[in-house]
Amino acid sequence: MATTTKGKSKSKSSAKSKFNKETYMHWFESMLFLRKFEEKAGQLYGQQKIKGFCHLYIGQEACVAGSISALERGDKHITAYRDHAHPIALGSDPKKIMAELFAKETGISKGKGGSMHMFDKENNFFGGHGIVGGQVPLGAGIAFSEKYNKTGKLCMCYMGDGAVRQGAFHEALNLAMTWKLPVIFVIENNGYAMGTSVKRTSNVTELYTLGEAYDMPSEPVDGMSVEAVYEAVESAAERARNGEGPTLLEFRTYRYKGHSMSDPAKYRTKEELEEYKGKDPIEQVRKTILDNKYASEDEISAIEKKVKDEVAECVKFADESDYPKQEEAFRDVYAQEDYPFVTD
C-alpha cells in the first residue's frame, strides 16, 4: 500500500509522505468501521444481546490497521482475547463476528467461542485466546512451522502488557531468538493489565527492553499513529523474511473503555483519558485526508453513513440468526467425528 521503497522512517512527517490517498482512505474507512462496530457491540452488551465477557478495542485501531497493511496475505496472526478487530481487518466477514458475539450458529466460531475465541483459518487468524500469555508460545510455534515449511511467511503475535509477566513470554522469546523464527511479537501496551498500571507491577516499565535480554531487536512504537505502526512492522517483517529472526515491538496505545464491559475504569483519571483522545488515530487520519484534499467533508460523511449502515447489517444478521442446536455441543471437540461421548 505504500508508495515508496521499504525502509524505516525516523520522522512522522517523512513517514506520512510515503503513503498515498488510497492508503489513507483505506485506513480511515477500516478504522472507522472497527470503531463503530465496537461501539455498537458495547451498546448491545448493555441491552443483553451480547453476554459473557466482552473486551472492546476502541482507541487501539491503529495497531491492527497499520500492522496488517504492512504485511502480506498468508502471514499468520494470533492474539489475546481483545480480538474482534483483528479478524475483521484481515478480511473476515464482520457479520459472522457479530453473530459470534451473539453466540449464534452463524458466528465465526459457530457460536461456541464468543467474544474471546474468534478463529478464521481461511484468513490466517489463529485466535482469540483467553489464557493470559497463552498465545505467545503458540505464536512462536506457528512461526516455527512457517520456517520449517519454507513458506516465506511470518507470524504476527499480539499480547497485552500484562502478558509479559508470564514465564511463557520469556520462554517463547528465548526460543524464537535461538532458532531465528519469523515472528513479530507485539505488546499492545494500553497502560493497564486489567485495572493495574504497568508502574505497579514491575520495575521495568519500558516493556520493549525485555526483548534486549535475548539480544532481540526491540523498540517502542507510537500505537496511536497508524503510520508509525506501519513503518515498524514493515521493518520487522523484512527482517523476519530475510531469515534474521524475531522482533519485539511495544505499541504504546490506549483503550478508551475499561478492560472489559464489567470494568468502570475508575483507576484512571478523566484527564488521562482526554489526553489520549486528543491523539485519536482515526481523527489523525481524517485530518491528513482533509489537509491534503484527498476527500471533502461530504465524502467523509458518505463514508461515515456507509459504515453505519454496514454495522447495522451486521446486527440484523446476528439478531436473525439461530442459536446452535443442542447436538452442536458434541461437535468440534475432537477430530474424530464419531467420538463416543458419554451422554447419559
Side-chain angles (χ1 to χ4, degrees), residues 36-137:
K36 296 305 179 182
F37 184 98
E38 292 288 68
E39 288 177 347
K40 179 57 70 173
Q43 293 171 12
L44 293 164
Y45 193 94
Q47 297 168 17
Q48 297 190 330
K49 293 275 190 179
I50 296 171
K51 301 178 182 180
F53 294 99
C54 186
H55 305 81
L56 303 179
Y57 205 67
I58 299 171
Q60 299 185 206
E61 296 88 356
C63 297
V64 70
S67 295
I68 290 174
S69 59
L71 296 176
E72 297 177 357
R73 180 74 179 174
D75 288 333
K76 310 303 188 292
H77 301 257
I78 190 169
T79 190
Y81 43 78
R82 197 177 304 279
D83 65 341
H84 313 159
H86 299 76
I88 293 174
L90 283 166
S92 298
D93 186 345
K95 294 189 183 70
K96 293 184 178 181
I97 303 299
M98 187 65 80
E100 189 62 37
L101 292 174
F102 276 57
K104 297 297 185 71
E105 65 179 3
T106 54
I108 199 79
S109 297
K110 301 182 182 179
K112 303 176 183 182
S115 170
M116 299 199 295
H117 303 103
M118 305 279 182
F119 288 82
D120 188 353
K121 184 178 178 182
E122 182 181 341
N123 284 293
N124 300 301
F125 184 66
F126 290 81
H129 294 266
I131 297 175
V132 175
Q135 77 281 11
V136 184

Side-chain angles (χ1 to χ4, degrees), residues 296-340:
S296 65
E297 290 281 6
D298 287 344
E299 288 171 318
I300 291 289
S301 295
I303 292 171
E304 292 172 336
K305 183 182 183 305
K306 175 187 175 186
V307 164
K308 182 180 179 180
D309 291 345
E310 288 174 344
V311 171
E313 289 174 10
C314 293
V315 177
K316 184 175 185 293
F317 174 82
D319 216 11
E320 294 176 351
S321 295
D322 294 325
Y323 287 104
K325 295 178 177 59
Q326 189 173 352
E327 56 267 25
E328 277 297 316
F330 301 101
R331 293 180 181 149
D332 304 313
V333 180
Y334 292 96
Q336 181 181 334
E337 290 187 11
D338 59 346
Y339 186 86

Side-chain angles (χ1 to χ4, degrees), residues 238-249:
E238 186 172 10
R239 170 183 163 78
R241 297 190 211 284
N242 288 339
E244 298 172 34
T247 300
L248 175 65
L249 302 175

Side-chain angles (χ1 to χ4, degrees), residues 47-329:
Q47 297 168 17
Q48 297 190 330
K49 293 275 190 179
I50 296 171
K51 301 178 182 180
F53 294 99
C54 186
H55 305 81
L56 303 179
Y57 205 67
I58 299 171
Q60 299 185 206
E61 296 88 356
C63 297
V64 70
S67 295
I68 290 174
S69 59
L71 296 176
E72 297 177 357
R73 180 74 179 174
D75 288 333
K76 310 303 188 292
H77 301 257
I78 190 169
T79 190
Y81 43 78
R82 197 177 304 279
D83 65 341
H84 313 159
H86 299 76
I88 293 174
L90 283 166
S92 298
D93 186 345
K95 294 189 183 70
K96 293 184 178 181
I97 303 299
M98 187 65 80
E100 189 62 37
L101 292 174
F102 276 57
K104 297 297 185 71
E105 65 179 3
T106 54
I108 199 79
S109 297
K110 301 182 182 179
K112 303 176 183 182
S115 170
M116 299 199 295
H117 303 103
M118 305 279 182
F119 288 82
D120 188 353
K121 184 178 178 182
E122 182 181 341
N123 284 293
N124 300 301
F125 184 66
F126 290 81
H129 294 266
I131 297 175
V132 175
Q135 77 281 11
V136 184
L138 295 178
I142 293 169
F144 179 86
S145 176
E146 300 302 308
K147 180 172 182 176
Y148 185 85
N149 290 308
K150 298 181 174 60
T151 65
K153 303 302 181 183
L154 57 84
C155 180
M156 192 79 171
C157 179
Y158 303 84
M159 69 203 79
D161 44 279
V164 304
R165 312 303 171 202
Q166 297 289 334
F169 166 81
H170 297 273
E171 293 168 359
L173 262 61
N174 179 56
L175 285 177
M177 198 62 196
T178 300
W179 293 337
K180 299 296 184 288
L181 300 181
V183 56
I184 304 173
F185 294 110
V186 171
I187 305 168
E188 291 182 305
N189 182 4
N190 57 35
Y192 297 93
M194 294 185 72
T196 306
S197 71
V198 172
K199 294 177 182 178
R200 292 184 61 194
T201 60
S202 174
N203 183 57
V204 178
T205 57
E206 300 287 315
L207 300 184
Y208 73 93
T209 62
L210 296 172
E212 295 172 356
Y214 306 97
D215 290 336
M216 185 180 296
S218 308
E219 65 176 297
V221 181
D222 180 2
M224 305 302 278
S225 164
V226 67
E227 298 97 345
V229 169
Y230 182 104
E231 291 283 323
V233 172
E234 180 187 50
S235 179
E238 186 172 10
R239 170 183 163 78
R241 297 190 211 284
N242 288 339
E244 298 172 34
T247 300
L248 175 65
L249 302 175
E250 179 191 346
F251 288 176
R252 293 176 173 174
T253 183
Y254 202 77
R255 52 173 164 79
Y256 296 168
K257 300 296 183 179
H259 170 72
S260 69
M261 288 301 298
S262 60
D263 173 18
K266 293 182 179 179
Y267 43 80
R268 62 187 182 186
T269 65
K270 291 181 180 179
E271 290 76 17
E272 179 183 282
L273 176 59
E274 290 307 312
E275 178 186 350
Y276 277 95
K277 284 187 175 181
K279 307 173 185 176
D280 189 276
I282 300 173
E283 292 307 312
Q284 289 190 58
V285 170
R286 183 200 299 268
K287 185 177 186 303
T288 299
I289 289 171
L290 293 174
D291 288 350
N292 287 279
K293 296 182 172 52
Y294 291 152
S296 65
E297 290 281 6
D298 287 344
E299 288 171 318
I300 291 289
S301 295
I303 292 171
E304 292 172 336
K305 183 182 183 305
K306 175 187 175 186
V307 164
K308 182 180 179 180
D309 291 345
E310 288 174 344
V311 171
E313 289 174 10
C314 293
V315 177
K316 184 175 185 293
F317 174 82
D319 216 11
E320 294 176 351
S321 295
D322 294 325
Y323 287 104
K325 295 178 177 59
Q326 189 173 352
E327 56 267 25
E328 277 297 316

